[in-house]
Amino acid sequence: MGGAHRATPVRYLSVSALGFTTAASIVTSLRGLPMMAEEELTMFFYIGFSTLLFLIPAGLVAAELGSAFGRQAGGLYAWISGAFGKKVGFWIIFLSWIQVIVFYPTGMSFAAAGVAFAADRPDLANNHIFVGIFAIAAFWLCTLVAFVSNQFALKVTRAGFLLGTALPGLLLVAVFIWWLSTGHSVGWEHTADPAVTEVVEGHDSPRFFPYIAGLSGLAFLAGILLNFAGVEAQGVHAMELKDPAKGYPAAIMIAAVTAFAIFTLGALAVAGIVPYKTMNLNTGVFDAFSIGFTEMTHSAWPVRVLAALIAYGALAGVLAWIMGPSRGVLATAHDGMLPPMLQQVNNRGVQVNILVIQGVIVTALSSIYLFMDDVSSAFFLISAMAVSLYLIIYMFMYAAAIRLRYSRPELPRAFKIPGGKAGIWLFAGIGFLAVAFAFVLAFVPPSQLPIGNKATYIGLVAGGAIVFSLIPMIIERMKKPSWIPSDAVKAKALGPSADRSHLTHT
């Protein structure tokens, strides 16, 4: 017995741990609540659509793909490459990076609103010059923090989620409960707008199903859908469960219920406290706190403190995404898909050149705020660009899952969507159709916002989607054998004691 080696016990992820981690990857900040609140009680339709037809299918498909490729270069690059080849895989992973870049300015504008309220200057939150300049400056600040190290950035983002998202979210719901318990009227009781109100027996009554006079009335669906994105990031961990076939669906249900509860309760709080006619996509959360605490404490200081925390949380969320997708791009660079300039890292393993290029693109996109007077419209326009790119990625993810069932049935899938080929067609098919419908809506100007010239709006969103989609195709055409890096370059990126898995996850 003395010479025998005791086997190291296998440590599995618990279902609840993976479920709540997945929920945290979905609920990254409170910035999406006003867009849902803008729909008043029809939000239940949008949130239900996003949960049942997008979140759950995406989670189950990601689990199957993640378990099939978990021991290879994980993430979207491996999944799509396995189904459609490396060229398409590179295109999709590049789009996943670009769509996050397009999305950054919306997170920065939300942080700008938080700083404005924290400084007791809420008027600045709707000042497009302030928002534009802040977005540019703050993003470069986050980039400098990212230069320090991945570990330091992780600590900043973890604290930001707890202090700047979870805590304010709970307090927002608490304020709304107090609002209702003290007899205050709710926002949706004071509007006759047919978009959210219908006449029932001669009286105005809140709608629960959207008023559809055209696709423009459903345009917010695409933006709301984006709030539920991110579930695929945890799909690679399905095989770390003791019983993936049973455990992962349960984890996805935990994540879906948690995300549904947070978004629904938070959006209801904003919609209930803030009058419909004054709802603002960028400041709705802060307006709800301001109105609620003014009534409750007759003091502004709690709002200023919470606004500062929310701003920190928004910036921490941006920092988290600065590091993640760009590491996925670095992985493709080390596969010879990008030029040597983008393969370089500093002495702490940070992909500095990729981050600098990222910052330049974000600066250009954030400049949209400088030229559009209405911050909400600029916010939605940039969101629509990001949505259009992200939904392309999801369509290919669903298509990959179906194709791989036929082209590579031998893959060892620790989790497999039940029902055989009919099952994969059902779940991936529903998800694909829901995403395709939302993709069309991303190009439709919303009737709820003063967008201005509709042709210009459509041209900007469509033009952005086309240009950003063409960039990886052009790079792939220019690819040279000399782009394949040496082992020394790869080793420097990994570092002597680094966890090598992070280079292949998006």
Side-chain angles (χ1 to χ4, degrees):
M1 294 292 289
H5 292 283
R6 185 173 298 175
T8 302
V10 179
R11 300 188 66 179
Y12 295 104
L13 276 177
S14 69
V15 172
S16 60
L18 183 56
F20 288 118
T21 300
T22 302
S25 71
I26 299 167
V27 188
T28 56
S29 81
L30 305 178
R31 68 176 172 270
L33 298 185
M35 187 178 293
M36 299 179 194
E38 180 83 18
E39 295 297 334
E40 301 293 352
L41 297 189
T42 62
M43 74 173 72
F44 289 107
F45 167 81
Y46 292 98
I47 296 175
F49 179 98
S50 300
T51 302
L52 296 177
L53 302 185
F54 172 71
L55 178 58
I56 292 176
L60 295 177
V61 166
E64 177 165 323
L65 293 173
S67 64
F69 292 91
R71 301 192 187 281
Q72 301 180 32
L76 283 168
Y77 181 52
W79 304 350
I80 305 301
S81 296
F84 302 110
K86 279 193 173 184
K87 290 183 179 180
V88 180
F90 169 69
W91 183 57
I92 291 300
I93 196 65
F94 197 92
L95 282 187
S96 73
W97 176 53
I98 289 293
Q99 70 83 20
V100 173
I101 290 178
V102 176
F103 180 67
Y104 286 136
T106 64
M108 306 311 296
S109 69
F110 186 62
V115 170
F117 275 80
D120 202 22
R121 285 291 307 277
D123 57 298
L124 290 177
N126 291 310
N127 184 307
H128 65 108
I129 300 296
F130 168 76
V131 172
I133 293 174
F134 178 90
I136 294 170
F139 187 82
W140 281 108
L141 176 62
C142 289
T143 300
L144 291 175
V145 172
F147 282 168
V148 175
S149 72
N150 294 325
Q151 291 74 19
F152 178 71
L154 181 61
K155 292 178 181 178
V156 174
T157 56
R158 185 179 299 155
F161 174 76
L162 294 174
L163 296 175
T165 299
L167 177 60
L170 290 173
L171 289 176
L172 179 61
V173 174
V175 170
F176 182 52
I177 292 174
W178 173 86
W179 185 268
L180 292 176
S181 65
T182 51
H184 288 81
S185 61
V186 291
W188 54 80
E189 293 178 347
H190 302 285
T191 178
D193 191 320
V196 295
T197 306
E198 60 183 339
V199 178
V200 179
E201 297 181 354
H203 299 284
D204 289 335
S205 179
R207 287 184 179 275
F208 287 90
F209 190 81
Y211 174 66
I212 304 176
L215 287 179
S216 62
L218 290 172
F220 272 13
L221 176 61
I224 291 173
L225 201 69
L226 184 64
N227 290 316
F228 287 82
V231 64
E232 76 283 353
Q234 303 301 327
V236 293
H237 298 299
M239 62 189 302
E240 296 175 35
L241 296 169
K242 187 174 184 179
D243 185 357
K246 294 181 180 179
Y248 195 78
I252 288 298
M253 288 306 300
I254 291 173
V257 170
T258 302
F260 179 88
I262 292 174
F263 284 138
T264 302
L265 292 175
L268 273 175
V270 174
I273 297 174
V274 180
Y276 178 77
K277 63 182 180 181
T278 62
M279 186 68 67
N280 183 289
L281 296 189
N282 202 37
T283 66
V285 171
F286 308 105
D287 292 333
F289 276 125
S290 182
I291 295 170
F293 276 108
T294 298
E295 286 287 317
M296 183 189 300
T297 65
H298 304 287
S299 175
W301 72 261
V303 179
R304 298 176 68 175
V305 172
L306 285 169
L309 290 175
I310 292 172
Y312 169 44
L315 293 176
V318 168
L319 179 60
W321 283 100
I322 282 177
M323 297 305 300
S326 61
R327 297 297 288 184
V329 173
L330 182 64
T332 68
H334 288 158
D335 218 7
M337 306 298 286
L338 290 171
M341 181 186 73
L342 298 181
Q343 299 167 10
Q344 301 303 313
V345 296
N346 64 14
N347 56 6
R348 296 185 179 181
V350 177
Q351 58 283 12
V352 288
N353 290 343
I354 291 176
L355 294 184
V356 168
I357 291 175
Q358 180 173 267
V360 171
I361 300 173
V362 171
T363 299
L365 288 171
S366 297
S367 298
I368 292 176
Y369 289 115
L370 301 176
F371 300 101
M372 290 187 69
D373 293 340
D374 188 85
V375 173
S376 286
S377 297
F379 182 100
F380 189 84
L381 171 62
I382 297 173
S383 295
M385 287 185 186
V387 167
S388 65
L389 297 173
Y390 211 166
L391 296 182
I392 291 173
I393 296 167
Y394 274 104
M395 283 190 278
F396 270 87
M397 186 182 81
Y398 290 128
I402 295 174
R403 180 178 175 84
L404 286 167
R405 280 289 188 96
Y406 292 88
S407 63
R408 301 186 65 181
E410 79 287 352
L411 282 174
R413 297 165 171 85
F415 170 78
K416 194 172 184 179
I417 292 177
K421 292 179 179 178
I424 192 68
W425 274 101
L426 175 64
F427 284 98
I430 287 175
F432 185 94
L433 291 175
V435 166
F437 179 59
F439 179 76
V440 173
L441 293 179
F443 300 93
V444 178
S447 59
Q448 300 94 326
L449 293 174
I451 290 299
N453 188 290
K454 293 183 179 180
T456 301
Y457 175 89
I458 296 172
L460 286 172
V461 177
I466 293 171
V467 169
F468 287 127
S469 295
L470 286 175
I471 291 174
M473 296 181 184
I474 295 172
I475 293 174
E476 205 283 328
R477 284 292 186 99
M478 297 170 59
K479 185 176 64 174
K480 301 176 182 178
S482 60
W483 288 5
I484 299 176
S486 65
D487 292 339
V489 172
K490 293 181 181 180
K492 182 179 179 182
L494 291 170
S497 60
D499 174 12
R500 284 161 169 73
S501 64
H502 69 274
L503 279 178
T504 58
H505 291 283
T506 53

